[in-house]
Amino acid sequence: MRREGSPWTGLWAVFFKEMADHLTGLRMRILEGLILLSALAAVYTGTQTLRQTVGEDPYLYLRLLTTAQDPLPSFVGFLSFFVPLAAIALAFDAVNGEYARGTLSRILSQPIYRDALLFGKFLAGLGTLAVLLTALFLLVVGLGLFTLGVPPGGEEMARAFLFLLATLAYAGFWLALGLLFSVLFRQPATAALAAIGVWLFFAVFFPILTDLAANALLLQADPLDPESQLRQASLALWISRLSPNTLYAETLTAVLNPAVRSLGPILITQLEGAVLGTPLPLSQSLLLIWPQLTGLMALVILLFTLAYVAFQRQEVRA
Amino acid sequence: MAVIETHGLTKRYGRVVAVEDLNLEVKEGEVFGLLGPNGSGKTTTILMLLGLTEPTRGEARVLGLDPMREPLKVKSQVGYLPDQVGFYGELTAWENLRYTTRLLGLPEAEARARIEEVLKRMGLWEVRDRKVSAFSRGMRQRLGLAEVLLKRPKVAILDEPTLGLDPEAAREFLELIKGLRAEGITILLSSHLLHQVQEVCDRVGLFHKGHLALLGTVEELAQRVLGGGYEILVEASPGLEEAFRRLEGVARVAAEGGRYRILSSRDLRPELARIAVEQGELLSLSLRRPSLDEVYAHYFKEVAHAA
Ligand SMILES: Nc1ncnc2c1ncn2[C@@H]1O[C@H](COP(=O)(O)OP(=O)(O)OP(=O)(O)O)[C@@H](O)[C@H]1O
Ligand SMILES: [Mg+2]
């Protein structure tokens, strides 16, 4: 049956309300505090290590983002740890919270479609994280300017911008997951736990599983036939790319380290004529990560679609 | 003109029949009451009228529109007060209504004016800046009605509007509902509190296990279920029972000493008075509207017997 009227009526009303809720909410304060502290710590260690090499490195700021010093991880390491948590924290009670407060049937009796409510909530989460990430990034650059005394170059900024974009796509995955669980589970606590379970799975167990799978696959390869070994190795790589974490990590590697020229196994013949260690131009790095970036976005769209379908079929009463 | 119309409207949840073959017509400016025990399908009917639940079969027309095909047009003209109305507790009353006006797409100035108007009308203007989490049940309910009025609806659908209100608050709320009728808003309300329904509704529909068992004015229902639309109380000399019963139009006579309770199909007060005076003395005579409570109790007792 054809529905009449735009599915996006009321989208911006929902977006601005949710965004205001996020930005003024206590939950966000806590997240901001956490992320800010860890960012400061990371940048501090980064600048400590980098001080000695200022002037030699053309990608100083990218180094600043990626340098780790035991026991502290790099800024990027911190972010990839916190961004999923922040995204889940923003989304896990998006829909079931409306049920619990008894507001859903009242809101849906206004002239809007459910599409606008769900998408507005998703966009608001993404917008909130974008604001947060941008603020954080500007803070880091500011601190860098202050401690290193060198302004960042144009290409560096472009790469940093790409990094932000990729992080947002990665956040989108966890946001869509949280939203899906908030539709599927009536208890916000259950939804939060389930989402954190998935996050733990991809962060801890998935790498172990892919390692095991890779080993098993290599054992199957003919030890005398390098081509079959290569085939098995790329298969293992593809399996590991089923995880959003792998996609994100690969994207970051290529974006933040211009010297990276491939994200898979390289044959020695492919390196013929290459000057090792020379940085790749931005456009080439972008080409390199394009599949990863689109893969990540496809995952986001898939999850959001699942949440959408589940929400459309749900009864409005609790 | 019929504002709400349904033809063979049916909703099943798996094997559970929530509403079966409902044919209903609510006229413009009417106050219509949906009655029935818990789980008899009142809320389900309301949700289908708003396009919030898809009917399994049949169709509904609200203001001539199909709520499944054109839900936005229907919902912009129909106000709905859900049975467990909830608001965002961390926002103030004013902010909650402001969100609704944004969803309605009202321009800023218009929105402010309307919010002020409805809050004043519901007696909530003084507490507009208080967080809704600090509101009592009655205040929430009034805020719910304020929200319904925000869209200047042609039709208001109220699901158990007096649920959980104390008698005084419930009475005040009914006054507010009567005020809406005076404005010409068509009202569909569901309730368990029969004497309240009787007080405000022009017509009622009685649901039983998803079927619309009875439909009409309270007098019509009393006629059908009790056999008489008029209830007359007489206090006179004892022993007049037989004489009263012989009168044409009398359905039932219950006597207790000198007190008689007579159910009849028309107003028999003159005839009753004459008999009482001729055969003894008449102490008092009064006509009572038959109460919906009695109709309801009697109907479900019969249903239980038949089963
Ligand atoms: N989501 C659902 N899944 C299965 N059955 C449902 C669902 N929602 C309602 N029902 C069933 O539909 C029937 C009608 O319910 P409905 O809520 O319309 O009754 P009601 O008349 O509003 O009752 P009450 O007076 O308690 O509010 C009930 O038997 C109920 O169990
Ligand atoms: Mg109900």
Side-chain angles (χ1 to χ4, degrees), chain A residues 315 317, chain B residues 13 16-18 36-44 83 160 192:
Chain A
E315 284 291 320
R317 39 183 159 180
Chain B
Y13 291 105
V16 180
V17 178
N38 292 127
S40 56
K42 304 181 296 289
T43 301
T44 309
D83 49 356
E160 316 221 2
H192 297 290

Side-chain angles (χ1 to χ4, degrees), chain B residues 240-297:
Chain B
L240 298 179
E241 211 176 330
E242 272 313 304
F244 286 162
R245 197 164 280 148
R246 275 198 297 275
L247 274 177
E248 197 194 316
V250 169
R252 249 185 307 148
V253 179
E256 204 188 294
R259 292 161 187 271
Y260 304 89
R261 199 169 133 255
I262 295 135
L263 280 170
S264 61
S265 54
R266 57 199 174 89
D267 187 359
L268 286 174
R269 275 179 297 178
E271 289 87 340
L272 291 169
R274 200 172 318 119
I275 293 174
V277 173
E278 278 167 9
Q279 309 193 7
E281 44 183 15
L282 177 63
L283 301 174
S284 82
L285 181 68
S286 63
L287 178 70
R288 230 173 44 137
R289 277 182 84 186
S291 82
L292 200 48
D293 275 293
E294 271 166 287
V295 175
Y296 191 89

Side-chain angles (χ1 to χ4, degrees), chain A residues 4 98 106 108-109 317, chain B residues 44 69 75 86 88 147 151:
Chain A
E4 313 244 324
E98 300 275 348
R106 193 173 57 80
L108 289 182
S109 75
R317 39 183 159 180
Chain B
T44 309
R69 272 183 64 94
K75 291 193 284 187
Y88 298 105
E147 198 210 32
K151 33 172 114 141

Side-chain angles (χ1 to χ4, degrees), chain A residues 1-43:
Chain A
M1 194 176 351
R2 282 286 309 146
R3 306 182 303 179
E4 313 244 324
S6 159
W8 307 127
T9 336
L11 175 67
W12 296 114
V14 175
F15 173 79
F16 285 117
K17 188 243 172 213
E18 294 291 325
M19 187 113 174
D21 278 0
H22 287 327
L23 290 178
T24 55
L26 187 62
R27 204 179 289 175
M28 205 58 208
R29 289 282 109 75
I30 297 174
L31 284 175
E32 276 165 10
L34 272 176
I35 297 183
L36 197 69
L37 275 181
S38 35
L40 285 179
V43 169

Side-chain angles (χ1 to χ4, degrees), chain A residues 245-260:
Chain A
N245 291 13
T246 315
L247 295 180
Y248 179 58
E250 286 187 346
T251 309
L252 290 195
T253 317
V255 168
L256 295 178
N257 189 352
V260 169

